[in-house]
Amino acid sequence: MQISDTLKRLLILLADGKFHSGTELAAALGVSRSAIWKQLQALNELDAELIAVSGKGYKLPRAMQMLDAAAIVGRLSQPARQWLAGLEIHDVIASTSGYLQERAAAGAASGLVCAAEYQTAGKGRRGRAWVSPFGHNLYLSLLWRYQDSPAALAGLSLALGVAVIRALKAFGIDEVGLKWPNDIYWRQRKLAGILVEVSGENGGPCHAVVGLGVNFYLSEQQGQNIGQPYADIQSILGESVHLRRNELLGLLLNQLLPVVASYQAGSLAGYLDEWRQYDCVAGRQVQVQVGETRHSGILHGINDEGLLLLRHEDGRLQTFASGEVSLRTA
Ligand code: ATP
């Protein structure tokens, strides 16, 4: 769904993060003040925080940069540009991954990317929600098709974690790490999450929809729905980072597209060293939850198949596959 043209133009005016009076906004958009008020109400419904001060007018709490397909594509490397089949930007969507699943069922090609300003039902693993307020974060998904069976894609989500770390580092963010299987952490707080959904026949073909959420800014209220420590890029790099949202999306696609495009059985081996280097939970006391059962122990990294290794008190090593477990650091 796209927001109305008037609201879009209003957002472009408010994007500087400065005060604008109702009269000024109405004049700039050629509409009545009550029409402006109606649009501001619509903005509230998107969870956007709007500041209204009598005598001064309205402002967004901070500057924002709306997602812009041309600006993103302009930043892509030559290979990424070749692999990109299309980049759709939605103002409001239930879930970028859900949308690409529908597009995949309708025959969409490898390399279709969907990003959104706002997700009403952002998805995490095992039916969990991804908190996705309007305008200040990244929510994107991409579709890739494979001739292989789904089993060949084991480890893809680990490789994608490495790709996201590379992009975040290129953006200037240090101290980022990976929590198995594919959460991205900054100083032990969750900064980004990856969701890989693979569908297909046992003997192939299959397709993967890769979803990624990266936090630029979450208000305290929005963060209350997360239920675990989280981080956002604004608190790492400062407020001016909001004007670099298209840049990060471009950097992410430059890293993600080559990984999905070249992935096949055995590819994980090429990412293991880097993954282990960024493992930020190895050596920690954790609880691994499989269904209703909890296993306590100390994390011992991953094996060469990308399975999680947990050392029990009695020294026994147990392996876990990503589909089935949830990991909580004690
Ligand atoms: P966990 O982080 O507990 O291992 P998971 O990896 O199984 O969870 P994900 O699919 O990565 O789950 O993401 C869903 C979880 O991430 C939610 O249950 C919530 O705790 C957290 N979360 C939701 N939205 C955000 C967000 N915007 N930023 C950081 N964390 C979030």
Side-chain angles (χ1 to χ4, degrees):
M1 188 184 110
Q2 305 297 343
I3 56 178
S4 74
D5 267 0
T6 320
L7 182 50
K8 206 162 225 168
R9 284 164 58 217
L10 181 65
L11 271 168
I12 290 167
L13 291 173
L14 291 171
D16 61 6
K18 299 191 172 129
F19 273 111
H20 296 269
S21 72
T23 315
E24 177 199 333
L25 293 171
L29 265 59
V31 297
S32 67
R33 282 196 61 173
S34 72
I36 290 291
W37 190 82
K38 234 171 103 184
Q39 295 302 327
L40 293 172
Q41 289 301 108
L43 199 56
N44 266 333
E45 278 162 29
L46 297 175
D47 275 353
E49 301 167 286
L50 186 72
I51 299 171
V53 175
S54 71
K56 281 183 148 181
Y58 306 95
K59 80 187 276 296
L60 294 173
R62 60 201 57 74
M64 73 175 277
Q65 181 182 59
M66 301 219 30
L67 296 177
D68 177 345
I72 295 161
V73 173
R75 293 183 169 277
L76 294 187
S77 65
Q78 197 51 36
R81 218 173 275 201
Q82 268 170 11
W83 284 313
L84 184 76
L87 170 59
E88 290 188 21
I89 307 235
H90 294 244
D91 295 321
V92 180
I93 202 163
S95 141
T96 54
S97 284
Y99 173 74
L100 283 193
Q101 292 291 4
E102 286 167 20
R103 292 295 308 271
S110 286
L112 180 61
V113 175
C114 168
E117 296 285 5
Y118 180 61
Q119 293 188 113
T120 55
K123 286 201 281 183
R125 295 194 305 147
R126 289 182 303 281
R128 291 180 168 158
W130 188 260
V131 173
S132 309
F134 184 81
H136 283 306
N137 303 306
L138 290 181
Y139 319 115
L140 68 139
S141 295
L142 67 90
L143 165 68
W144 204 267
R145 294 184 180 280
Y146 300 87
Q147 287 312 312
D148 308 326
S149 70
L153 300 187
L156 173 63
S157 66
L158 300 186
L160 291 165
V162 169
V164 172
I165 293 274
R166 288 176 184 165
L168 291 172
K169 284 184 153 281
F171 194 62
I173 304 177
D174 294 320
E175 298 183 71
V176 270
L178 290 165
K179 187 185 105 180
W180 185 90
N182 50 15
D183 288 339
I184 288 88
Y185 273 60
W186 180 78
R187 294 191 187 166
Q188 308 300 329
R189 286 145 62 187
K190 191 161 172 176
L191 177 65
I194 299 171
L195 173 71
V196 180
E197 297 170 302
V198 178
S199 342
E201 304 297 322
N202 255 339
C206 68
H207 69 261
V209 170
V210 174
L212 172 67
V214 184
N215 298 328
F216 267 69
Y217 168 77
L218 291 165
S219 69
E220 232 176 277
Q221 199 188 349
Q222 290 155 352
Q224 272 169 13
N225 298 321
I226 291 182
Q228 60 173 305
Y230 65 90
D232 60 28
I233 296 181
Q234 173 184 302
S235 43
I236 304 168
L237 293 182
E239 275 206 12
S240 60
V241 83
H242 291 294
L243 301 177
R244 297 174 59 204
R245 210 155 57 110
N246 290 309
E247 178 190 339
L248 180 57
L249 213 157
L251 288 171
L252 286 163
L253 291 179
N254 281 343
Q255 294 296 339
L256 294 169
L257 282 163
V259 173
V260 290
S262 64
Y263 206 86
Q264 54 188 8
S267 293
L268 178 63
Y271 298 95
L272 282 174
D273 283 351
E274 218 173 331
W275 201 96
R276 288 176 174 137
Q277 180 191 330
Y278 295 127
D279 185 347
C280 65
V281 285
R284 292 187 153 234
Q285 177 78 40
V286 295
Q287 290 203 324
V288 177
Q289 180 149 358
V290 183
E292 296 301 306
T293 317
R294 286 189 182 172
H295 305 263
S296 294
I298 292 183
L299 287 177
H300 205 68
I302 54 171
N303 69 10
D304 288 354
E305 280 74 55
L307 302 183
L308 183 72
L309 296 169
L310 182 76
R311 189 177 289 286
H312 290 269
E313 245 176 43
D314 59 9
R316 191 169 42 97
L317 266 184
Q318 189 174 0
T319 55
F320 295 92
S322 68
E324 55 188 28
V325 309
S326 184
L327 184 62
R328 293 278 171 193
T329 43

